[in-house]
Amino acid sequence: MSRSDYKGEGKSSGRGAGNFRKKSHARGNAPIKKKRENAPTSNPGLIRLNKYVANAGVCSRREADTYIAAGSVTVNGKTVTEMGFKVNRTDEVRFDGRLLNPEKKEYILLNKPKNFITTTRDEKGRRTVMELISNASNARLVPVGRLDRNTTGLLLFTNDGDLAKKLTHPRYGIRKIYHVELNKNLKADDLRKIQEGLMLEDGLIKVDDVSYLNNAPKKEVGIEIHSGRNRIVRRIFEYLGYDVIRLDRVIFAGLTKKDLPRGHWRHLTQQEVINLGMTQ
């Protein structure tokens, strides 16, 4: 209805319209409205139980429904089989007795450049690797292991604490391969010494493999090692009288630098995450 139509209707109901008087809400004639019951407010802190279980990395949301129905999930000590059940992030949720973390697991692979230190913050104001992945995720990611300031190559970040511990523990023998460039050719005798093992100041160190690179000068070698000792690759060559000019980690736990330029990052694929979990 237009405004002119509305005015015209008001005129027809004036004094000339018999005993009818238009009700004026201004005079207190407004109809009494029934009180509406307060609608239940949604709690933004609640999350569906199947999503909670899926975010914890147990399985997909659809599979979580099956496990919930089978009684595999407890909330604050009580088994829950109800579909659509919601929980707070502060609730204690367990799957087959294992405590779950509701934060979605994320995995970021970075091809680290030089002049960045591997730490979440630095009191001296030096640039850290966290700057390079600042736009990758809102999750609280931490680097898995370390690469020193001048070492380049693959560095993994995650909020999956269990996997991070597994990938850094020597017991699991995670495969790490480095491309090393020395200040001079590596002597065959020194290559043999590295293959047999060296006694450094903090004990015997054995590598998994070391060799010259194909179609490259003998000052460039590849070395495979699973030790997590600090600066271990550099120390091996320094012990034998060589300076490491360039050190690049080219393989980490089966992950490679393929299609990942220096200074760039990417999310791991689902299959890569599965493979990491299967790594022994």
Side-chain angles (χ1 to χ4, degrees):
M1 181 182 295
S2 69
R3 181 172 296 184
S4 59
D5 290 336
Y6 181 79
K7 288 181 178 179
E9 184 180 8
K11 286 183 179 180
S12 65
S13 59
R15 290 183 181 179
N19 295 325
F20 177 80
R21 295 188 65 184
K22 182 181 178 183
K23 291 183 179 179
S24 170
H25 290 178
R27 295 192 182 112
N29 294 325
I32 298 175
K33 294 182 179 179
K34 290 184 179 179
K35 271 191 174 181
R36 294 181 61 186
E37 294 183 3
N38 292 330
T41 56
S42 60
N43 186 342
L46 292 178
I47 180 174
R48 282 184 175 271
L49 183 56
N50 62 352
K51 183 178 180 182
Y52 190 111
V53 173
N55 284 356
V58 174
C59 56
S60 68
R61 290 178 69 167
R62 181 174 296 180
E63 291 170 332
D65 284 332
T66 303
Y67 287 124
I68 292 169
S72 299
V73 181
T74 62
V75 178
N76 298 327
K78 296 181 180 180
T79 300
V80 174
T81 58
E82 175 189 341
M83 293 297 101
F85 188 85
K86 292 185 178 182
V87 295
N88 283 300
R89 294 182 180 274
T90 54
D91 287 333
E92 182 186 273
V93 179
R94 293 181 179 270
F95 175 79
D96 284 344
R98 178 166 64 92
L99 184 64
L100 302 183
N101 183 340
E103 187 176 47
K104 183 179 180 181
K105 301 295 188 296
E106 296 198 38
Y107 309 87
I108 303 293
L109 185 65
L110 170 72
N111 187 351
K112 176 188 173 296
K114 278 187 175 183
N115 298 320
F116 288 84
I117 61 173
T118 306
T119 184
T120 54
R121 62 175 61 88
D122 183 62
E123 295 178 353
K124 297 180 180 179
R126 293 172 296 182
R127 304 184 74 181
T128 75
V129 291
M130 304 310 294
E131 297 177 35
L132 299 170
I133 63 161
S134 59
N135 296 324
S137 170
N138 291 324
R140 293 169 293 181
L141 303 178
V142 295
V144 177
R146 300 176 66 88
L147 290 178
D148 64 42
R149 185 174 184 177
N150 291 320
T151 298
T152 60
L154 296 177
L155 185 62
L156 182 65
F157 298 78
T158 185
N159 56 350
D160 186 341
D162 292 337
L163 183 62
K165 289 178 183 177
K166 181 177 180 180
L167 294 178
T168 52
H169 200 293
R171 177 164 65 91
Y172 293 101
I174 300 303
R175 188 181 186 215
K176 294 176 283 189
I177 297 181
Y178 295 83
H179 178 183
V180 187
E181 182 180 341
L182 304 173
N183 62 324
K184 56 187 177 181
N185 290 344
L186 179 66
K187 297 176 182 177
D189 187 50
D190 288 334
L191 180 67
R192 179 185 54 79
K193 290 178 182 178
I194 298 173
Q195 291 170 336
E196 293 176 351
L198 296 173
M199 183 61 70
L200 303 183
E201 65 273 14
D202 54 350
L204 179 67
I205 181 67
K206 287 192 173 184
V207 304
D208 301 303
D209 193 18
V210 60
S211 64
Y212 297 113
L213 296 181
N214 292 332
N215 303 316
K218 292 190 180 300
K219 65 180 180 179
E220 294 188 38
V221 298
I223 183 168
E224 179 178 343
I225 195 167
H226 65 266
S227 172
R229 296 192 211 175
N230 188 36
R231 299 184 70 255
I232 188 61
V233 176
R234 293 182 184 276
R235 288 166 52 207
I236 286 173
F237 292 100
E238 289 169 359
Y239 177 83
L240 295 171
Y242 299 87
D243 292 332
V244 175
I245 304 301
R246 183 165 65 94
L247 182 59
D248 186 41
R249 185 153 73 182
V250 295
I251 292 180
F252 176 74
L255 302 171
T256 72
K257 299 194 302 177
K258 183 180 179 182
D259 300 325
L260 189 61
R262 187 86 71 218
H264 290 242
W265 56 266
R266 68 171 178 83
H267 292 276
L268 295 193
T269 66
Q270 184 176 7
Q271 186 59 53
E272 286 173 329
V273 174
I274 292 172
N275 293 343
L276 288 178
M278 295 172 62
T279 302
Q280 297 297 329

